[in-house]
Amino acid sequence: MTTDTQNTAPCGEEWQFTSLASAPPIDQWDDWVELDAKAWPRKVERHYQIVPTICFNCEAACGLIAYIDQADGRVQRVEGNPHHPGSRGRNCAKGPATINQIHDPQRILYPLKRVGRRGEGRFERTTWDEVIDSLAARIRKVLQEDRRTEVMYHVGRPGADGYMDRVLQSWGVDGHNSHTNVCSGAARLGYVLWAGGDRPSPDHANAKFILLLSSHLETGHYFNPHAQRIIEAKMAGSKIATVDVRLSNTASMSDYWISPRPGTEAAMLLGFVRVLLNEGFVNRDYVEAWFNWEAFLAARYPEDDRSIDQFLRRLAEIYDSFTPEWVASECDIDAQMVVDVAREIGRAGTAFSSHVWRNAASGNRGGWQVARCLQFISALTGSIGTKGGTALASTNKFVGAPFKKPAPQKMWNELLYPVEWPLSHHELSFLLPHLVREGRGKIDTYFTRVYNPVWTNPDGFSWIEMLKDEERVGLHVALTPTFSETTLFADYVLPMGLATERHDLMSQETHAGRWIGFRQPVSRVATERNGQKVEWTYEANPGEVWEEDEFWIALSWAIDTDGSLGIRENFESPYRPGERITIDEYYQWLFENSVPGLPEAASAEGLTPLEYMRRYGAFEVDAELLEPHNNPVSADGADRGDDGLWRRDGAVIGVDQGGVPVAGFGTPSRKLEFYSPTMEEWGMGDQALPGYIRSHVHVDELEDSPNAFALVPIFRLPTLIHSRSANSKWLCELSNTNPVWMNVDDAARLGIADGDLIAVKTQIGRFVNRAWVTEGIRGGVVACSHHLGRWRTKDGGGTDQWGAATVDFKSTGDGQWNLRRHEDIGPFKSSDADSEAVWWNAGGVHQNLTFAVQPDPISGMHCWHQSVLVEKAREGDTYGDVEVDTEAAHRAYQKWRDSTPECTFPNGIRRPLWFARAVKPHPDAYRLP
Ligand code: SF4
């Protein structure tokens, strides 16, 4: 806003402007003055309070600052918080678009209760008191009758760290369900098997070579924080290779674009491994120190010398078949590219960073081996946890402990972790309708929390069938900021806050440091700063929009009216014994006791830790953290065992390196488990090493038809976020179609022209969309972004009009479902004048409805890629048509379920105890009946 000139203000004083600033200085946040741009040329001052928070539009948790107009208390705009160590003042388009969501004329402002039959989408306003009382009575009855697997909390994006774990454990239920296995479950398993940490944390900024599986620069999991660091590295001379079937924006910015057949990525990575092994790029000292090579030789080659040289010889032997020529033929890529990229990786050495999250890992049967093979490369080059390398999320994510931890639950919910998938990461959430249909359990009270399974998950009509059946789901409570396809089938729709309307604490592995970010209800904070008291956040938010943190406190307190259920004690104030905790006290205790360095930093500014977090919105716990596996551990009172592990009182405290204990990794051996004894013990020894599993969309698995393709349905757009952005007019204006990408040669072969209506036939149905004919995708593959195709009903139920077309959908009662567009997106009347200027009309096509569930036999991850037939649309087909057979969907589920391996369940337990599990139960619950 500022220049170096002086001007005369309307009142006659001199305006003194300073230099251009990217953000207001923090010492002016209580009264930031700007000129009103709309009043120009008059110079009218506007006074703002600026309150920091963190974005809620993806999991990256970037910092935001909200400008609250002091004249009317309205949030005027949202920008980046320069004091946030992860995002450093920058955001993607979705951060500032929060302002649209706040002022969306169709947002839910009050708690709603169903009238009419479930699924009609008719609701009436109710009160928070009524909601709390009726839910408390219902859940109390479930607990008193010991039906502790019948309360389920199903979360989309958590947007918080650990809060719900203690709520559910205080209730003593096994009921946490998540979206992980439609997102990242496969990659998690691949990483866990190596090092015990389930997510990578690349130090992109300092890398010399970056290998990206997917379009991380524009849509990575930690999109904006990672993108800015990738570009920093590139500007400093780092090279980038991107593996993607599409010429994405990331690929176009890269030095290498590699476009293998979908599902062959692990073969390509093992091709790199072979080059590293044969051309002297292996970090021998690192491999000797950290691989569990002795365990491998003992198990697989008991006659061999136990020497590192022998191990390396065996490695070369095992992976010798992955020659550049064989890889080129399997993946349909250039053999020389395999050699060139592998050499670039080798030359980068310990400054090689990489990432895979969804993409190949999430698309394919055996996708977890893609992550395992990628981590193999990091391990061979010694670049795990190094400067410019790839650490683990457990290193760079900081989660502070709350004031009291309830005891773990003592039961196991078969609807969450079915016995066929003992190694899954995590809940088989997308199978829920099929698991319920099989009689594995039922649900008394089902909370969906910022989660839209009808639209987001595969096989959405099976979800509708389950949700409509009150015998299977007794009560459905949707906690959500927006109406959605799933809220149509709710009994209560409870409005929950956006980024500026709620408390949450988050940390993410955005770089080689650690930080926490504090999401806060900015109007409440401003109100309290002005001296007014607020008891519950909904008193200060728009309408009666609440936040989950306080909702769970109020509900938990009401369930256990007299403390006899043992719940209430977990929600008593640590400062006022016997009294219900306030949200301030919850975070006050955590910031005072669980975040190293925060009390001191706050005190240096004359603030309490809570005041500091309310003021800055973030805190840097560590500026840099490298190679934590080498951290020394005290040997006092500890002994070294023959297995190289140091133990104190029987508990492993570290692993031997040169005669002293160091922390090591998170595996049972504290080593990098190239060879997985866990998989061996569980009867999956054939997969105990990094390897290549042919995908269900491998070229040999496709139908023998000129119309057969592999459909890649999971690429993201930088401007939309799954189910969360139909309430933003700016984002809907930016992105509003999802045509099917098709290579020019394929299109010519099938007589399809750009923009033609085409039908894509899946295993259980078909959808009709338009073709986008382009050279930017490899042949034999079609691709369609999953973000679009939102819908609402003719009666006005469902998603916002900015992003949703109106549809009719019906079932003939025997599993045959049809969805047809009734009306395009178009202008509509509302309190926002922009709604009458909506010019876009397509809105995209909902493809996920037509996908059968395809749980990977080992990781449990939904294998998103589809084997499809593509043809020109038939007469009578219209854009957006969807047809599905849910009986065929159930048969498809049974087929995948039956392909799970025979497991041995050592010691009669159902999941390795050392594996993470969401809301981990007591070890007794792991025993099979
Ligand atoms: S990457 Fe974008 S959507 Fe995600 S948290 Fe950051 S600003 Fe928000």
Side-chain angles (χ1 to χ4, degrees):
M1 85 164 229
T2 55
T3 72
D4 288 330
T5 58
Q6 290 192 336
N7 291 279
T8 304
C11 55
E13 333 115 43
E14 288 288 295
W15 289 81
Q16 179 64 58
F17 293 130
T18 55
S19 59
L20 282 165
S22 59
I26 198 165
D27 60 1
Q28 295 177 39
W29 282 11
D30 281 342
D31 185 22
W32 173 246
V33 186
E34 286 183 358
L35 297 184
D36 184 345
K38 287 188 180 160
W40 182 264
R42 289 181 305 123
K43 295 188 172 62
V44 176
E45 282 187 1
R46 292 183 75 162
H47 290 252
Y48 295 98
Q49 270 200 69
I50 293 177
V51 180
T53 185
I54 54 176
C55 186
F56 194 50
N57 277 340
C58 90
E59 212 58 12
C62 297
L64 299 175
I65 50 174
Y67 290 66
I68 303 168
D69 194 323
Q70 293 186 27
D72 58 7
R74 188 177 158 93
V75 180
Q76 193 65 29
R77 70 176 189 276
V78 174
E79 292 178 346
N81 178 3
H83 299 281
H84 187 292
S87 55
R88 305 181 291 188
R90 302 170 212 173
N91 295 121
C92 77
K94 302 185 288 288
T98 300
I99 195 69
N100 295 163
Q101 300 170 309
I102 296 170
H103 300 309
D104 174 20
Q106 295 185 332
R107 69 175 299 186
I108 314 163
L109 289 173
Y110 299 95
L112 302 173
K113 188 175 182 177
R114 166 168 69 90
V115 290
R117 282 179 295 114
R118 193 188 287 168
E120 285 181 13
R122 291 193 293 124
F123 298 93
E124 65 183 10
R125 183 171 164 184
T126 185
T127 64
W128 281 116
D129 284 346
E130 188 274 327
V131 170
I132 294 291
D133 288 348
S134 54
L135 291 181
R138 190 175 179 106
I139 293 168
R140 187 185 313 126
K141 186 163 186 291
V142 170
L143 300 180
Q144 285 168 337
E145 293 172 2
D146 206 20
R147 294 180 280 124
R148 290 174 185 269
T149 55
E150 292 188 22
V151 175
M152 187 178 290
Y153 163 83
H154 205 153
V155 60
R157 295 298 193 110
D161 289 327
Y163 189 95
M164 270 316 285
D165 296 24
R166 71 183 297 285
V167 173
L168 293 168
Q169 290 195 314
S170 77
W171 294 4
V173 300
D174 194 30
H176 183 280
N177 214 335
S178 73
H179 75 288
T180 308
N181 254 325
V182 292
C183 175
S184 57
R188 285 174 190 255
L189 177 61
Y191 284 108
V192 160
L193 290 170
W194 264 108
D198 69 355
R199 281 168 289 167
S201 175
D203 181 21
H204 286 316
N206 296 301
K208 292 192 180 131
F209 192 78
I210 299 172
L211 177 60
L212 301 173
L213 274 72
S214 187
S215 46
H216 293 267
L217 202 50
E218 73 232 54
T219 63
H221 191 53
Y222 303 125
F223 164 27
N224 160 55
H226 275 183
Q228 55 183 265
R229 290 173 171 87
I230 293 169
I231 290 298
E232 271 172 30
K234 186 170 172 65
M235 291 176 73
S238 168
K239 286 191 179 169
I240 303 171
T242 295
V243 181
D244 200 331
V245 294
R246 296 178 309 118
L247 180 59
S248 60
N249 291 342
T250 307
S252 69
M253 294 289 289
S254 300
D255 301 275
Y256 298 90
W257 172 37
I258 317 174
S259 181
R261 289 191 182 110
T264 62
E265 292 84 353
M268 177 197 70
L269 295 169
L270 293 177
F272 298 159
V273 162
R274 184 181 182 278
V275 174
L276 296 175
L277 287 167
N278 289 351
E279 298 195 8
F281 286 117
V282 170
N283 188 329
R284 189 180 185 284
D285 291 345
Y286 185 88
V287 171
E288 182 171 19
W290 286 112
F291 276 46
N292 68 337
W293 55 270
E294 286 164 298
F296 164 70
L297 289 177
R300 294 292 171 91
Y301 301 97
E303 310 301 322
D304 276 12
D305 283 350
R306 302 285 166 82
S307 72
I308 186 65
D309 290 328
Q310 181 58 13
F311 173 66
L312 290 172
R313 272 194 289 276
R314 288 294 185 194
L315 273 191
E317 241 172 68
I318 292 167
Y319 296 102
D320 192 47
S321 59
F322 291 89
T323 63
E325 295 70 29
W326 183 85
V327 169
S329 128
E330 179 70 2
C331 305
D332 190 24
I333 57 176
D334 179 32
Q336 190 57 44
M337 179 92 90
V338 176
V339 176
D340 291 346
V341 170
R343 287 176 181 162
E344 295 268 21
I345 293 169
R347 284 194 285 271
T350 57
F352 162 66
S353 74
S354 64
H355 204 295
V356 62
W357 196 233
R358 301 181 188 90
N359 190 270
S362 302
N364 298 290
R365 182 179 63 207
W368 61 277
Q369 278 282 22
V370 174
R372 189 138 162 75
C373 291
L374 185 60
Q375 188 75 332
F376 191 11
I377 295 171
S378 298
L380 283 173
T381 51
S383 60
I384 296 177
T386 50
K387 196 169 188 79
T390 305
L392 300 166
S394 48
T395 303
N396 298 133
K397 182 179 170 92
F398 178 83
V399 182
F403 71 100
K404 190 168 185 182
K405 185 168 167 46
Q409 70 278 18
K410 291 199 170 165
M411 73 294 306
W412 191 280
N413 192 340
E414 180 72 12
L415 294 177
L416 304 174
Y417 284 84
V419 71
E420 291 91 339
W421 290 272
L423 307 189
S424 69
H425 278 70
H426 284 280
E427 303 94 331
L428 271 293
S429 61
F430 61 101
L431 300 186
L432 190 61
H434 300 285
L435 299 171
V436 170
R437 179 173 166 168
E438 285 182 327
R440 298 195 194 207
K442 62 178 182 170
I443 306 169
D444 180 279
T445 306
Y446 183 49
F447 293 96
T448 48
R449 186 282 201 176
V450 196
Y451 189 46
N452 185 9
V454 167
W455 187 83
T456 307
N457 282 359
D459 192 13
F461 282 124
S462 290
W463 279 85
I464 291 176
E465 288 175 356
M466 179 187 78
L467 290 173
K468 285 180 84 166
D469 185 343
E470 295 184 31
E471 291 293 310
R472 293 179 178 177
V473 178
L475 186 82
H476 174 201
V477 184
L479 304 161
T480 173
T482 58
F483 286 112
S484 72
E485 292 78 356
T486 296
T487 59
L488 273 172
F489 304 96
D491 300 301
Y492 282 103
V493 177
L494 304 182
M496 291 293 149
L498 298 159
T500 51
E501 298 162 351
R502 50 186 298 123
H503 287 94
D504 295 298
L505 188 60
M506 285 186 78
S507 173
Q508 295 297 14
E509 59 279 13
T510 54
H511 61 286
R514 292 196 300 179
W515 52 265
I516 53 170
F518 192 32
R519 190 173 292 123
Q520 44 183 356
V522 298
S523 295
R524 175 179 181 159
V525 172
T527 304
E528 290 180 330
R529 260 188 216 162
N530 294 338
Q532 282 172 259
K533 196 163 163 35
V534 177
E535 184 183 5
W536 297 114
T537 292
Y538 65 73
E539 296 165 15
N541 272 345
E544 289 181 6
V545 171
W546 208 356
E547 57 167 286
E548 284 96 337
D549 278 10
E550 284 188 346
F551 171 79
W552 297 119
I553 291 173
L555 180 58
S556 302
W557 196 257
I559 292 171
D560 193 10
T561 42
D562 57 4
S564 60
L565 294 173
I567 297 173
R568 190 171 267 241
E569 64 195 60
N570 297 295
F571 296 90
E572 286 178 6
S573 164
Y575 302 100
R576 296 174 297 117
E579 301 287 315
R580 185 175 62 200
I581 192 170
T582 65
I583 199 65
D584 267 18
E585 288 172 332
Y586 179 86
Y587 287 108
Q588 178 188 342
W589 192 95
L590 202 155
F591 294 149
E592 285 174 353
N593 296 283
S594 292
V595 185
L598 175 55
E600 295 76 15
S603 166
E605 300 204 17
L607 300 170
T608 67
L610 179 60
E611 286 168 343
Y612 181 98
M613 291 303 291
R614 290 224 182 276
R615 169 66 55 187
Y616 284 89
F619 177 69
E620 186 169 65
V621 181
D622 294 287
E624 187 172 75
L625 264 180
L626 298 171
E627 303 188 39
H629 51 279
N630 281 324
N631 286 349
V633 175
S634 166
D636 287 352
D639 296 310
R640 182 193 188 283
D642 293 341
D643 55 5
L645 292 170
W646 284 76
R647 293 179 178 80
R648 186 182 297 124
D649 301 329
V652 175
I653 54 136
V655 63
D656 194 80
Q657 287 288 343
V660 294
V662 297
F665 294 95
T667 52
S669 65
R670 299 278 179 124
K671 294 277 185 86
L672 290 172
E673 294 194 341
F674 158 75
Y675 160 71
S676 171
T678 300
M679 295 203 77
E680 191 85 73
E681 286 163 18
W682 284 71
M684 294 175 243
D686 58 331
Q687 297 297 334
L689 308 183
Y692 170 46
I693 298 171
R694 277 195 164 161
S695 168
H696 64 299
V697 294
H698 187 273
V699 68
D700 293 347
E701 304 262 342
L702 300 181
E703 275 195 49
D704 185 14
S705 160
N707 298 80
F709 290 85
L711 169 65
V712 171
I714 47 173
F715 71 88
R716 296 168 74 178
L717 302 176
T719 42
L720 295 178
I721 188 74
H722 306 301
S723 194
R724 288 202 204 181
S725 42
N727 56 351
S728 163
K729 58 187 179 187
W730 295 345
L731 299 178
C732 290
E733 182 169 22
L734 285 168
S735 305
N736 43 64
T737 58
N738 64 343
V740 177
W741 295 40
M742 178 178 258
N743 182 272
V744 285
D745 294 337
D746 290 329
R749 183 166 55 79
L750 298 181
I752 292 170
D754 190 41
D756 274 0
L757 217 49
I758 57 172
V760 180
K761 185 172 179 303
T762 67
Q763 206 181 340
I764 64 165
R766 67 197 286 275
F767 65 90
V768 178
N769 198 344
R770 296 201 179 278
W772 185 47
V773 177
T774 171
E775 291 178 341
I777 187 167
R778 64 164 295 120
V781 178
V782 287
C784 183
S785 172
H786 66 279
H787 285 300
L788 289 124
R790 304 300 306 276
W791 45 269
R792 53 193 280 110
T793 65
K794 269 194 301 195
D795 303 328
T799 305
D800 272 50
Q801 277 177 277
W802 305 106
T806 306
V807 300
D808 286 319
F809 62 95
K810 56 179 182 295
S811 159
T812 52
D814 56 356
Q816 304 299 311
W817 287 85
N818 284 289
L819 180 142
R820 172 157 281 198
R821 182 173 289 227
H822 173 70
E823 200 175 347
D824 285 345
I825 294 173
F828 61 97
K829 286 199 185 310
S830 78
S831 56
D832 182 342
D834 284 349
S835 66
E836 295 186 57
V838 170
W839 55 263
W840 56 97
N841 56 15
V845 177
H846 188 188
Q847 55 178 340
N848 291 7
L849 282 171
T850 68
F851 300 162
V853 295
Q854 302 183 142
D856 180 86
I858 293 178
S859 74
M861 172 83 210
H862 174 56
C863 304
W864 276 102
H865 292 354
Q866 302 285 315
S867 167
V868 298
L869 296 173
V870 179
E871 59 191 13
K872 289 180 109 166
R874 297 194 292 248
E875 200 177 324
D877 281 345
T878 64
Y879 178 79
D881 278 358
V882 174
E883 295 165 23
V884 176
D885 177 352
T886 53
E887 289 304 313
H890 192 62
R891 288 193 296 276
Y893 153 72
Q894 290 169 321
K895 193 169 157 209
W896 281 80
R897 177 201 63 197
D898 294 345
S899 71
T900 52
E902 286 285 325
C903 296
T904 47
F905 301 104
N907 304 317
I909 60 168
R910 53 190 311 154
R911 179 178 180 81
L913 280 164
W914 72 272
F915 271 24
R917 211 214 87 160
V919 191
K920 199 166 187 173
H922 189 279
D924 289 352
Y926 281 66
R927 301 230 155 270
L928 284 165

